[in-house]
Amino acid sequence: MTAADAAIEAVSTTPVLLVALDFDGTLAPLVDDPMTARMMPRARAAVDALAALPDTVVALVSGRSLGHLREIAEHLDASPMWLAASHGVQYWVPGAGEQPASDDAADLALRDRLREAITASVAHLDGVWIEPKEFGVGVHTRVADAETAREAREAADRLVAAEAPGWRRRTGHDILEFAFRHEGKDSAVAHLRERVGATAVLFAGDDVTDEDALRALRTGDLGIHVGDAETAATLKVADIDALVDVLEAVARQRVARAQ
């Protein structure tokens, strides 16, 4: 048995498993228009199969706002899937729905002013798209050329540094985002682990923001990185299909364990 097989078997046979998964680039291909992202059919089937198993909790952990995450994940009110959105600030709990997230009127007002200022500063740049986020703003540059993307990032950095130097700055696949809330995917996974009483966690992601969660995993957990970048994950897989192979193996082993 390889080390990877042993790690998969360990989480597959744990009493209560939390399967926490990033969405973009992990279950759904990266696309130019972020709101058109959808899970690959095999990925959808795999997460649905896991979520239907006893003592197995599936959660999507994403930087997307809760409304956007529900839309792209085609998440219905009756879904058994948990959601941790906005890097762990917003939550959807099966059977209970959206959980209240505290905020401050001054923070929200500053968010709105910065969104307007950043939008105006990059309006002349082709291929740059500003995403309003619940607790900040995202600057998308996927379809911009390298020089344009650099100019957009520098403009946003200048404005945030001047007006909100304490905001959290994150980079990802062709996105720069800022938020006045400082939660990360590490705190999201910790919160979910406690809420569901998980005895082990499988976490998978593909981007820089997923490394927070991967570094925070414990002995007995399994971290998976999708892609070939440097990572703190225990296991690296080439692409979404390869991740689905792992998820399907976990489902099979948990079914066998229950028999």
Side-chain angles (χ1 to χ4, degrees), residues 26-50:
T26 300
L27 298 173
L30 298 173
V31 291
D32 291 342
D33 180 353
M35 291 311 299
T36 65
R38 295 293 184 271
M39 283 192 216
M40 291 180 63
R42 280 190 68 215
R44 166 66 70 182
V47 297
D48 285 348
L50 283 164

Side-chain angles (χ1 to χ4, degrees), residues 35 64-75 83 85-86 90 92 98 134:
M35 291 311 299
R64 302 268 200 152
S65 65
L66 184 61
H68 285 181
L69 181 58
R70 293 198 73 201
E71 180 177 343
I72 62 175
E74 300 172 292
H75 182 268
L83 302 178
S86 298
Q90 298 176 291
W92 177 280
E98 181 176 356
E134 202 77 24

Side-chain angles (χ1 to χ4, degrees), residues 7 26 82 116 194 253:
T26 300
W82 292 60
E116 292 176 4
E194 182 177 358
Q253 291 186 42

Side-chain angles (χ1 to χ4, degrees), residues 8 42 46 237 239-252:
I8 293 168
R42 280 190 68 215
V237 295
D239 51 27
I240 295 172
D241 276 329
L243 173 64
V244 172
D245 290 340
V246 175
L247 298 179
E248 290 175 345
V250 171
R252 286 194 300 270

Side-chain angles (χ1 to χ4, degrees), residues 104-209:
D104 181 89
D107 288 325
L108 295 175
L110 177 57
R111 174 204 65 186
D112 292 344
R113 290 199 305 273
L114 275 172
R115 279 182 189 167
E116 292 176 4
I118 292 171
T119 299
S121 73
V122 303
H124 64 290
L125 299 177
D126 292 335
V128 178
W129 175 66
I130 303 303
E131 178 185 4
K133 286 183 171 284
E134 202 77 24
F135 304 97
V137 60
V139 182
H140 289 267
T141 57
R142 177 168 297 279
V143 295
D145 61 46
E147 179 59 25
T148 301
R150 182 194 60 77
E151 184 177 346
R153 291 192 298 268
E154 289 179 352
D157 275 331
R158 283 194 300 271
L159 287 165
V160 175
E163 299 291 332
W167 280 22
R168 182 166 181 172
R169 181 185 191 272
R170 294 182 177 93
T171 59
H173 289 307
D174 301 304
I175 182 174
L176 171 63
E177 59 181 295
F178 303 92
F180 63 80
R181 295 289 294 258
H182 285 248
E183 290 89 341
K185 292 187 179 182
D186 51 347
S187 59
V189 171
H191 175 76
L192 291 167
R193 185 198 298 268
E194 182 177 358
R195 281 291 302 267
V196 306
T199 52
V201 174
L202 183 160
F203 177 83
D206 74 307
D207 207 349
V208 176
T209 56

Side-chain angles (χ1 to χ4, degrees), residues 210-254:
D210 299 309
E211 292 299 310
D212 291 339
L214 290 167
R215 285 190 293 267
L217 294 179
R218 304 174 184 173
T219 301
D221 295 338
L222 175 59
I224 305 174
H225 174 78
V226 181
D228 58 5
E230 289 296 316
T231 180
T234 303
L235 177 62
K236 291 174 74 168
V237 295
D239 51 27
I240 295 172
D241 276 329
L243 173 64
V244 172
D245 290 340
V246 175
L247 298 179
E248 290 175 345
V250 171
R252 286 194 300 270
Q253 291 186 42
R254 288 192 73 72

